[in-house]
């Protein structure tokens, strides 16, 4: 639930209609000047609601890193690099590929780029890797390992 309070309108509603002169309303609104306090609280609330919803899931963490560092960050896990191939008993899912067809890894070929890490973070040049590492460490699960690769 996202409550937004308009204190000027609340004061106007609580004053009887025959007593809503401009001077009286201005005097009451000056006594109850909570707009500045409410806007700072609303900013604090929105910030921490966002922070609570960031998790170690790859898409959530990737979105958070892109928002924090300006975009261009990509997180790939071992599972993300393969094509999904269905069984004969499943309904067919046809996918049209562009000219460069993605490589299909054969058995045992898939993990060469991951070398004992669970996921790879691709970061564009110019982003401070120490800040990215600190942000990932804040949200990653304890037993997961990663490496950061700078994109050209």
């Amino acid at each position: 639930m996202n409550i937004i309070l308009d204190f000027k309108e609340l004061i106007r509603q609580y004053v009887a209609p025959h007593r809503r002169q401009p001077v009286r309303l201005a005097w009451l609104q000056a006594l109850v000047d909570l707009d500045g306090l409410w806007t700072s609280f609303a900013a604090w609330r929105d910030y921490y609601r966002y922070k609570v919803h960031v998790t170690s899931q790859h898409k959530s963490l990737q979105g958070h890193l892109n928002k924090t560092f300006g975009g261009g960050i990509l997180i790939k896990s071992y599972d993300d690099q393969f094509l999904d191939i269905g069984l004969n008993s499943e309904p067919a899912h046809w996918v049209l590929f562009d000219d460069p067809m993605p490589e299909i890894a054969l058995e045992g070929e898939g993990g060469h780029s991951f070398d004992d890490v669970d996921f790879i973070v691709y970061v564009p040049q110019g982003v401070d890797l120490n800040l990215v590492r600190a942000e990932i460490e804040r949200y990653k699960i304890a037993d997961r390992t990663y490496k950061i690769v700078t994109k050209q």
Side-chain angles (χ1 to χ4, degrees):
M1 182 196 292
N2 194 7
I3 298 172
I4 305 297
L5 296 178
D6 184 5
F7 290 101
K8 290 183 180 182
E9 184 61 26
L10 280 174
I11 290 171
R12 191 190 72 74
Q13 288 175 357
Y14 282 122
V15 175
H18 65 281
R19 296 186 183 258
R20 292 182 187 163
Q21 289 84 22
V23 174
R24 180 172 289 154
L25 287 176
W27 182 76
L28 288 172
Q29 288 166 359
L31 288 177
V32 187
D33 187 20
L34 297 175
D35 280 334
L37 186 63
W38 174 256
T39 54
S40 64
F41 170 73
W44 175 86
R45 179 186 62 177
D46 292 340
Y47 174 76
Y48 279 101
R49 277 188 176 174
Y50 168 75
K51 286 295 213 179
V52 165
H53 287 95
V54 174
T55 64
S56 64
Q57 293 178 351
H58 291 164
K59 293 298 180 186
S60 174
L61 185 59
Q62 178 178 327
H64 172 66
L65 292 175
N66 282 324
K67 182 177 179 180
T68 304
F69 297 107
I73 295 176
L74 180 67
I75 295 179
K76 285 277 195 180
S77 73
Y78 182 76
D79 296 331
D80 291 340
Q81 66 181 357
F82 300 118
L83 287 174
D84 293 329
I85 299 175
L87 301 173
N88 286 336
S89 62
E90 296 176 342
H93 297 285
W94 296 98
V95 178
L96 295 176
F97 297 109
D98 296 335
D99 280 334
M101 185 172 166
E103 295 181 12
I104 300 174
L106 299 176
E107 184 177 351
E109 287 184 345
H112 294 304
S113 64
F114 283 89
D115 294 333
D116 298 332
V117 297
D118 295 314
F119 61 95
I120 299 175
V121 181
Y122 294 98
V123 178
Q125 290 181 344
V127 177
D128 188 4
L129 297 181
N130 290 328
L131 292 175
V132 173
R133 185 173 286 109
E135 203 65 27
I136 293 171
E137 287 292 331
R138 182 177 298 161
Y139 293 107
K140 81 171 184 70
I141 297 176
D143 64 343
R144 300 291 177 211
T145 57
Y146 66 94
K147 69 179 177 180
I148 299 176
V149 176
T150 304
K151 291 190 290 187
Q152 278 78 12

